[in-house]
């Protein structure tokens, strides 16, 4: 996020794009409601009539899979109607001519067929956005989980640049991320191309600095593999061992059939986790770790805030903190490693990362948290980025960027006439081993989970509300339960991905954005089939669930 | 006697501050604390998300001992930490020897473990194994 969560409520316009705050981040949703109470306008772009759409001044029901076309149409209107901030664009941005070259062909009228939003509504939205003294764009997985994702994110930044909505409080653009510590995992270099503090592995000076600090002669200079490439890499014989730390790819990754095959064919699978999960069923070694509440450390909030989490209870069982397990592994592999606590680790990283140098445990303690950049010991941290409109580009100017729209990979056809999009549900979290083990949250919804389907489609396929049904794609078939709702648009169905029996990733496909490699969870072709004998289907569901639960619990005494 | 520990909710990037209230070493409830982003508010997940720490077995059991097996056809068996670390590290080294470091891939965890654990993981992968093959689940 360029700016901070609390600033959302003081902006004059919240522009929500492909982000269902009410289900993903209720506390962020509350800020949006408060902004409205304070008089802010709200514009929402979403195919579904989400909570945000419901309270919006304008709701733009976009056709699934057309984000780039609509964002380009927005830019087109801002420029064509002379709504943009010419002075700001001249002083602080670059690339305007190339940008206009692309977006000039995307008039709302011409692109209507692609994105399905009434041209007048597109124009109205941009007039409103440009007129707001401060505007804050929030986007979510409705943007990032498409084959064309990074382009759209840059496109949204372009809208903020055109209107001068950067470099001060209450403006900017914010991805609101899924899992709690995605920001932190990026911050500390768990990416194939960067060391901690966003320092590239391809920079010889950076490598030299880390090699010296870590006391090794040299460090690898080649950018590593991305996770989504694993099935291919295993298939080609390039990858032999996989050390899986606190994730469950056999539940959360797309095209689960492909993932299972890859796990099976690896020579070594090490799983380090807190609960038994579907991935661990493929492991050779399972290393049990302490959980949240049982260990200390730092998380990064979605707005770059380092905050301390603390141990509240003693762990049960013969388990160890993750960092201690890694130290034991390193030592056993001939590299003696020893830390006494997380503060020692944090200080080592801080001193190697100019962006975080001043973000000490003490400062987090005093201030409740520290937002990076925090480059010096007496620096308080940075609530919003790009102060003075200086951007992270070589020239310091913000780059106006547009790309041509690319349609989603898979098309619907006579066999698979519906589009499936995976979404989030309030109460459950990712692969569910944590929330699924919380009785209060578990009662909110249980297996096999729901499929949201419009009443028109439900009638067409003879599906009753709450009935079990089969949903299948070219990759697999799962059982799920119908929730008939006109919040879903006709021709499109929505499933959450945390269910074990109703595992929608049996259906999704492994088509990824060329830059981010994020899978296209939001678009694949499916069909639904009603089940005449509901009693038998219910029985089948119970048996399968019991079998799976047994399979997961039998390795653990 | 009740004790209260200030921490951060692990369920989403809003990063709400929570007081975990414990009694006799067990969590009894969570309370919203005045964090920058949440100002003492919590959603359902923050309120009740701690329950799994009491190993409810509602869904799947907590892992309590290292588990190993010599072949995927075998059942898992419990092992001591010494044995499990030896087992995992020697196999990793054998693969590195035979195919090179780039035949090994690791993940970080964007969930409960925290930034320090992830830092140490990427250090292990880069400095000890010798590859940049490290990535995490939720991209972007
Ligand atoms: S309490 Fe709810 S909104 Fe706050 S961090 Fe936890 S899951 Fe997110």
């Amino acid at each position: 996020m360029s700016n901070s969560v609390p600033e959302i409520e003081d902006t004059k316009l919240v522009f929500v794009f492909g982000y269902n705050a009410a289900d993903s981040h209720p506390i962020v949703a509350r800020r949006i409601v408060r902004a409205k109470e304070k008089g802010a306008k709200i514009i929402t772009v979403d195919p579904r009539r989400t909570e945000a759409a419901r309270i919006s001044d304008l709701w733009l029901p976009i056709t699934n899979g057309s984000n780039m076309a609509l964002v380009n149409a927005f830019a087109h209107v801002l420029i064509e109607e002379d709504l943009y901030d010419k002075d700001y664009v001249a002083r602080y941005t670059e690339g305007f001519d190339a940008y206009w070259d692309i977006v000039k062909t995307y008039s709302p009228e011409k692109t209507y067929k692609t994105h399905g939003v009434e041209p007048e509504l597109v124009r109205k939205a941009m007039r409103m956005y440009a007129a707001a003294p401060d505007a804050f764009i929030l986007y979510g997985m409705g943007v990032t989980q498409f084959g064309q994702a990074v382009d759209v994110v840059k496109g949204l930044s372009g809208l903020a640049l055109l209107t001068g909505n950067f470099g001060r409080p209450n403006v900017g653009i914010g991805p609101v991320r899924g899992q709690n510590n995605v920001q932190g995992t990026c911050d500390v270099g768990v990416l194939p191309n960067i060391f901690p503090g966003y320092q590239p592995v391809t920079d010889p000076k950076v490598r030299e600095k880390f090699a010296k600090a870590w006391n090794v002669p040299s460090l690898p200079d080649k950018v590593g593999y991305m996770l989504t490439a694993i099935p291919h890499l295993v298939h080609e014989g390039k990858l032999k061992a996989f050390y899986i730390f606190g994730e469950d790819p056999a539940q959360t990754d797309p095209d689960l059939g492909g993932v299972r095959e890859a796990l099976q064919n690896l020579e070594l699978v090490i799983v380090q986790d807190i609960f038994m999960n579907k991935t661990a069923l493929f492991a050779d070694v399972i290393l049990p770790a302490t959980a949240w509440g049982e260990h200390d450390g730092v998380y990064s909030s979605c707005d770059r805030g380092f905050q301390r989490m603390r141990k509240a209870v003693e762990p049960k069982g013969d388990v160890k903190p993750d960092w201690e397990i890694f130290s034991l592994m390193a030592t056993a592999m001939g590299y003696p490693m020893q830390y006494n606590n997380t503060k020692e680790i944090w200080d080592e990283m801080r001193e190697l990362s100019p962006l975080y140098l001043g973000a000490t445990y003490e400062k987090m303690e005093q201030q409740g948290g520290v937002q990076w950049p925090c480059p010096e010991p007496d620096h308080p941290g940075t609530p919003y980025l790009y102060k003075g409109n200086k951007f992270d580009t070589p020239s310091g100017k913000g780059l106006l960027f547009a790309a041509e729209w690319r349609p989603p990979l898979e098309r619907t056809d006579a066999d698979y006439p519906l589009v499936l999009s995976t979404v989030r549900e309030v109460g459950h979290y990712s692969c569910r081993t944590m929330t699924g083990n919380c009785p209060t949250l578990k009662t909110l919804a249980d297996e096999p989970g729901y499929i949201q389907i419009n009443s028109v489609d439900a009638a067409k396929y003879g599906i009753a509300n709450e009935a079990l049904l089969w949903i299948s794609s070219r990759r697999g078939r799962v059982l799920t339960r119908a929730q008939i709702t006109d919040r879903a648009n006709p021709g499109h169905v929505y499933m959450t991905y945390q269910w074990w029996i109703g595992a929608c990733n049996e259906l999704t496909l492994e088509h990824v954005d060329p830059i981010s490699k994020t899978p296209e969870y939001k678009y694949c072709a499916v069909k639904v089939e009603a089940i005449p004998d509901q009693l038998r289907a219910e029985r089948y569901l119970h048996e399968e669930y019991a079998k799976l639960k047994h399979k997961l619990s039998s390795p653990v005494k | 006697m009740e004790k209260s520990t200030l921490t951060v909710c692990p369920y989403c990037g809003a990063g709400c501050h929570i007081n975990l209230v414990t009694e006799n070493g067990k969590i009894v409830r969570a309370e919203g604390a005045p964090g920058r982003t949440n100002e003492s508010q919590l959603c359902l997940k923050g309120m009740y998300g701690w329950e799994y720490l009491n190993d409810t077995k509602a869904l799947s059991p907590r892992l309590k001992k290292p588990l190993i097996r010599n072949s995927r056809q075998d059942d898992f068996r419990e092992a001591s930490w010494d044995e499990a670390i030896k087992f995992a590290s020697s196999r990793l080294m054998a693969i590195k020897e035979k195919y090179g470091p780039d035949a090994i891939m690791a993940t970080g965890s964007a969930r409960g473990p925290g930034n320090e654990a992830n830092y140490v993981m990427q250090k292990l992968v880069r400095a000890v194994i010798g590859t940049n093959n490290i990535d995490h689940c939720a991209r972007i």
Side-chain angles (χ1 to χ4, degrees):
Chain A
M1 271 197 179
S2 69
N3 289 56
S4 302
V5 169
E7 292 172 33
I8 295 170
E9 67 175 77
D10 291 319
T11 191
K12 298 287 176 260
L13 185 143
V14 191
F15 190 177
V16 183
F17 198 115
Y19 169 52
N20 189 2
D23 281 358
S24 308
H25 308 104
I27 294 296
V28 175
R30 199 191 299 265
R31 299 275 182 184
I32 301 176
V33 173
R34 235 184 269 162
K36 189 182 163 76
E37 286 164 4
K38 291 188 186 177
K41 298 254 191 278
I42 300 177
I43 303 173
T44 296
V45 175
D46 203 295
R48 288 189 303 166
R49 194 160 176 270
T50 56
E51 269 313 295
R54 218 177 46 76
I55 64 163
S56 287
D57 295 271
L58 294 178
W59 169 43
L60 284 62
I62 186 176
T63 301
N64 305 49
S66 68
N67 289 344
M68 193 76 239
L70 184 60
V71 170
N72 285 348
F74 285 151
H76 180 101
V77 173
L78 287 175
I79 296 170
E80 185 221 21
E81 293 195 13
D82 229 9
L83 301 166
Y84 72 107
D85 184 340
K86 272 178 238 65
D87 180 49
Y88 187 94
V89 168
R91 287 167 67 180
Y92 304 119
T93 75
E94 60 190 9
F96 184 84
D97 293 339
Y99 182 71
W100 173 241
D101 249 4
I102 292 186
V103 303
K104 73 176 176 214
T105 61
Y106 283 80
S107 76
E109 293 73 21
K110 228 181 106 190
T111 49
Y112 170 65
K113 260 218 191 101
T114 307
H115 54 66
V117 182
E118 291 294 339
E120 196 42 40
L121 195 53
V122 176
R123 292 186 180 277
K124 227 166 130 184
M126 279 307 102
R127 287 173 205 146
M128 197 183 260
Y129 177 63
D134 294 316
F136 203 130
I137 298 178
L138 290 169
Y139 68 89
M141 281 172 287
V143 167
T144 57
Q145 293 185 344
F146 273 108
Q148 184 170 28
V150 174
D151 290 350
V152 177
V153 172
K154 289 184 185 166
L156 290 170
S157 301
L159 303 179
L161 282 171
L162 279 179
T163 50
N165 275 307
F166 272 122
R168 59 179 191 275
N170 316 331
V171 296
I173 164 161
V176 196
R177 296 160 187 269
Q179 301 182 342
N180 69 311
N181 205 29
V182 181
Q183 179 72 52
T185 318
C186 296
D187 291 348
V188 305
V190 176
L191 284 170
N193 60 338
I194 53 160
F195 286 109
Y198 300 91
Q199 303 173 81
V201 299
T202 47
D203 182 337
K205 279 211 196 77
V206 168
R207 281 201 309 277
E208 205 182 306
K209 175 174 81 175
F210 277 91
K212 204 170 147 223
W214 292 346
N215 202 14
V216 289
S218 69
L219 287 163
D221 58 355
K222 203 175 100 224
V223 170
Y225 298 136
M226 291 186 178
L227 264 189
T228 36
I230 286 185
H232 291 297
L233 292 166
V234 176
H235 192 76
E236 289 166 16
K238 288 189 181 145
L239 206 65
K240 301 291 180 185
F242 193 13
Y243 192 156
I244 305 161
F245 162 38
E247 306 215 341
D248 190 6
Q251 173 73 11
T252 55
D253 282 16
D255 187 9
L256 291 179
V259 173
R260 283 191 294 263
E261 192 188 305
L263 288 171
Q264 234 144 27
N265 290 331
L266 282 160
E267 287 182 22
L268 175 66
V269 176
I270 304 173
V271 166
Q272 181 166 317
D273 216 311
I274 55 176
F275 284 109
M276 196 63 199
N277 60 31
K278 277 185 177 172
T279 307
L281 294 173
F282 296 89
D284 301 284
V285 194
I286 303 175
L287 303 171
T290 52
W292 171 82
E294 298 169 345
H295 56 222
D296 288 307
V298 170
Y299 290 145
S300 303
S301 62
C302 61
D303 55 4
R304 299 168 282 102
F306 291 137
Q307 311 194 97
R308 285 275 284 113
M309 44 108 175
R310 296 178 182 85
K311 175 173 171 175
V313 291
E314 285 303 321
K316 290 189 202 76
D318 191 8
V319 299
K320 293 182 190 295
D322 291 293
W323 52 268
E324 203 178 313
I325 303 174
F326 298 138
S327 299
L328 291 171
M329 285 291 289
T331 305
M333 292 178 78
Y335 180 98
M337 192 191 276
Q338 224 244 295
Y339 297 103
N340 295 306
N341 50 52
T342 53
K343 185 171 180 297
E344 286 182 12
I345 302 168
W346 186 259
D347 287 341
E348 176 180 316
M349 187 195 65
R350 211 169 37 77
E351 274 152 29
L352 283 163
S353 311
L355 276 179
Y356 318 142
L357 190 70
T360 57
Y361 266 35
E362 292 78 11
K363 200 180 286 177
M364 283 183 241
E365 204 82 46
Q366 280 160 16
Q367 302 183 177
V370 181
Q371 285 173 285
W372 65 259
C374 181
E376 287 122 36
D378 50 6
H379 193 290
T382 308
Y384 62 91
L385 298 177
Y386 317 128
K387 195 170 182 172
N389 295 297
K390 275 201 204 59
F391 295 89
D392 300 335
T393 51
S395 62
K397 292 192 170 189
L399 180 66
L400 288 165
F401 174 91
E404 303 286 353
W405 170 69
R406 289 194 308 271
L409 187 72
E410 199 170 59
R411 305 300 182 86
T412 53
D413 56 21
D415 293 335
Y416 298 96
L418 297 168
V419 172
L420 167 71
S421 175
T422 66
V423 295
R424 229 157 237 280
E425 188 166 350
V426 81
H428 278 303
Y429 173 69
S430 196
C431 55
R432 209 162 65 101
T433 40
M434 282 159 82
T435 50
N437 280 307
C438 300
T440 313
L441 297 177
K442 196 166 169 286
T443 52
L444 282 179
D446 213 333
E447 293 282 350
Y450 284 94
I451 180 174
Q452 293 188 351
I453 184 166
N454 184 282
S455 56
V456 177
D457 293 319
K460 190 158 145 196
Y461 299 105
I463 287 161
N465 200 28
E466 293 285 326
L468 290 170
L469 60 103
W470 288 112
I471 171 166
S472 42
S473 74
R474 290 188 177 81
R475 290 154 297 277
R477 180 174 94 147
V478 298
L479 195 67
T480 184
R481 199 182 292 282
Q483 180 181 41
I484 299 177
T485 164
D486 288 339
R487 284 198 176 197
N489 44 335
H492 298 77
V493 293
Y494 298 84
M495 283 173 87
T496 47
Y497 65 87
Q498 73 269 23
W499 306 105
W500 285 359
I501 304 294
C504 59
N505 283 327
E506 301 286 351
L507 313 170
T508 50
L509 79 165
E510 197 222 320
H511 168 57
V512 297
D513 181 276
I515 305 163
S516 74
K517 306 287 180 200
T518 301
E520 195 152 82
Y521 290 113
K522 294 286 185 214
Y523 206 99
C524 76
V526 296
K527 67 173 172 202
V528 294
E529 290 162 273
I531 302 175
D533 191 343
Q534 283 290 316
L535 232 68
R536 226 177 105 198
E538 294 285 354
R539 211 155 43 220
Y540 171 82
L541 167 69
H542 275 108
E543 282 163 19
E544 285 299 299
Y545 191 25
K547 250 193 258 169
L548 185 63
K549 267 180 59 176
H550 176 74
K551 207 156 129 194
L552 288 175
S553 56
S554 59
V556 183
K557 292 204 182 83
Chain B
M1 238 215 4
E2 282 192 350
K3 200 183 109 208
S4 180
T5 307
L6 177 65
T7 189
V8 177
C9 174
Y11 289 108
C12 90
C16 298
H17 284 203
I18 290 188
N19 274 320
L20 279 179
V21 181
T22 50
E23 206 180 330
N24 305 324
K26 264 191 137 179
I27 299 175
V28 287
R29 68 178 179 277
E31 291 166 353
R36 178 176 60 82
T37 55
N38 68 310
E39 296 166 347
S40 303
Q41 310 272 4
L42 292 180
C43 79
L44 276 179
K45 283 179 281 189
M47 250 358 207
Y48 300 105
W50 52 268
E51 286 178 347
Y52 76 92
L53 281 172
N54 292 341
D55 199 11
T56 58
K57 292 193 186 62
L59 188 63
S60 61
R62 207 36 216 277
L63 294 161
K64 290 199 171 139
K65 276 220 131 250
L67 300 170
I68 61 178
R69 57 180 170 185
N70 285 320
S71 125
R72 303 263 171 90
Q73 274 72 52
D74 298 347
D75 287 337
F76 285 104
R77 67 177 173 83
E78 287 185 353
S80 68
W81 273 102
D82 250 9
E83 190 186 8
I85 294 286
K86 238 179 238 148
F87 183 92
S89 62
S90 62
R91 287 196 170 199
L92 263 185
M93 280 192 294
I95 285 174
K96 179 178 166 181
E97 199 100 310
K98 193 162 160 201
Y99 304 103
D102 289 337
I104 300 170
M105 168 109 206
T107 77
S109 175
R111 303 197 278 144
N115 290 353
E116 292 86 346
N118 278 291
Y119 170 83
V120 180
M121 178 49 136
Q122 62 86 39
K123 181 176 178 182
L124 168 72
V125 170
R126 294 191 157 111
V128 186
I129 297 174
T131 177
N132 285 311
N133 291 342
I134 177 145
D135 197 5
H136 63 96
C137 235
R139 301 204 55 88
I140 298 201

